[in-house]
Amino acid sequence: MIFAIICKDKPGHLETRLGTRPDHVAYLNGLNENGALKFAGPFLDAEGKPCGSLVAVEAEDEAAAELIAAADPYALAGLFESVEIRAWNWVFNNPENA
């Protein structure tokens, strides 16, 4: 099942995001290599600066998705004000259905 991990950064933590980004990207690359990552990218504020994340992963259940979210270097660095994990059904433009 696919889970959307929706994260909102703490205000004033852009430097935390930027400093942790190489480890975060390496983590996502690892998820991608093992087939767990479906897509990912940052949310942007009105100035075009990152202010959160959307990461979609394939996981057995919500508990497994929670473990993936908790192991993200951004989460470990304390970047996020909130993290929401929701089951998601990819209906339109799913490359697996093409």
Side-chain angles (χ1 to χ4, degrees):
M1 174 172 279
I2 297 174
F3 291 88
I5 303 169
I6 305 159
C7 308
K8 182 178 178 183
D9 292 2
K10 292 176 183 172
H13 279 67
L14 181 58
E15 290 305 315
T16 301
R17 173 178 277 275
L18 297 177
T20 311
R21 187 173 188 279
D23 292 337
H24 168 73
V25 170
Y27 180 70
L28 292 183
N29 280 330
L31 291 175
N32 196 44
E33 288 170 7
N34 73 27
L37 182 67
K38 294 303 184 180
F39 56 85
F43 290 110
L44 303 176
D45 65 15
E47 297 172 355
K49 294 182 181 170
C51 62
S53 299
L54 171 60
V55 178
V57 297
E58 182 81 28
E60 185 173 321
D61 53 28
E62 188 171 344
E66 288 173 359
L67 290 174
I68 291 170
D72 186 320
Y74 280 168
L76 295 173
L79 174 62
F80 299 131
E81 177 178 271
S82 64
V83 176
E84 180 180 2
I85 299 174
R86 304 202 45 193
W88 187 71
N89 184 20
W90 195 341
V91 176
F92 290 95
N93 298 322
N94 183 338
E96 293 178 5
N97 296 335

